[in-house]
Amino acid sequence: DALAVGDGEESLPPRADAQTLSKVGLTLQADYLENTEARIEGQLSLDGAPVRITAQSTTTGPLRAAVAGAATTLSLDGYLPPPGSAQAKPAATTDTTPPAFPGQGEVIDLRLTAERVNVKKLALTGLDVQASLRQGTAEVSRFRAGLAGGSLSGSLRADTAAPAHPVSLRLEGSNLAAGPLLS
């Protein structure tokens, strides 16, 4: 229930199942490609559920990185806060400076796929999410998943550099069974 950070330990937030994260495994392989790119391939095991991770990044010039995660089945219920627990609210901040990461000309592309993700008695199947981070913009360009006998798709774009932080969201569902969603 604690995580070593630097010279000390940091407590993990409360989880619905205290046994989550009791079995964690990690295998990594890293390679440099012609001193201009780095590639990491890894296998992460969270409580027996394997997740394959790949990442490729430039090592010179502006950061251009692509990160992908793929899983067969993930059950997220145990990692959620316990029922009735209050979430700590972040401290109010008056700093309106846009984030410096990623910087000018830098891009991080993300992709997550999973055959099945279980959460709160619901199952997302065929999950496929593609996202990117650029200076001042976070975007989910593709969200697709099967849910309650139907399908969901959508996209999200957030302008993190603009003063009002405008967000646009598009979410479409078809043939969703209302019963499982309402219970």
Side-chain angles (χ1 to χ4, degrees):
D1 283 327
L3 178 67
V5 178
D7 294 332
E9 280 189 2
E10 191 68 32
S11 294
L12 294 173
R15 299 172 310 280
D17 181 355
Q19 295 302 309
T20 56
L21 299 176
S22 62
K23 295 182 278 181
V24 177
L26 179 64
T27 304
L28 285 177
Q29 176 183 340
D31 297 305
Y32 281 104
L33 307 173
E34 301 177 18
N35 291 330
T36 60
E37 291 185 354
R39 181 171 176 81
I40 297 173
E41 294 183 22
Q43 184 79 22
L44 174 66
S45 176
L46 293 173
D47 299 311
V51 178
R52 180 163 176 68
I53 301 167
T54 59
Q56 189 163 337
S57 174
T58 55
T59 58
T60 60
L63 174 70
R64 300 205 49 92
V67 180
T72 304
T73 300
L74 290 175
S75 182
L76 301 180
D77 288 343
Y79 302 97
L80 298 174
S85 70
Q87 291 290 328
K89 293 184 180 179
T93 179
T94 58
D95 184 12
T96 59
T97 307
F101 181 79
Q104 183 68 35
E106 297 179 331
V107 177
I108 300 172
D109 291 317
L110 308 164
R111 179 152 191 211
L112 173 64
T113 58
E115 289 180 25
R116 184 178 184 96
V117 176
N118 298 323
V119 62
K120 296 287 186 180
K121 298 182 183 179
L122 291 176
L124 292 173
T125 57
L127 180 67
D128 186 1
V129 179
Q130 290 182 337
S132 64
L133 300 172
R134 290 173 170 69
Q135 185 177 27
T137 305
E139 181 175 20
V140 176
S141 58
R142 178 194 328 204
F143 172 83
R144 291 185 186 160
L147 176 66
S151 64
L152 281 177
S153 64
S155 62
L156 171 79
R157 180 178 171 88
D159 186 351
T160 60
H165 304 298
V167 174
S168 64
L169 170 67
R170 181 190 61 81
L171 188 61
E172 296 176 6
S174 64
N175 300 321
L176 300 171
L181 296 174
L182 297 174
S183 66

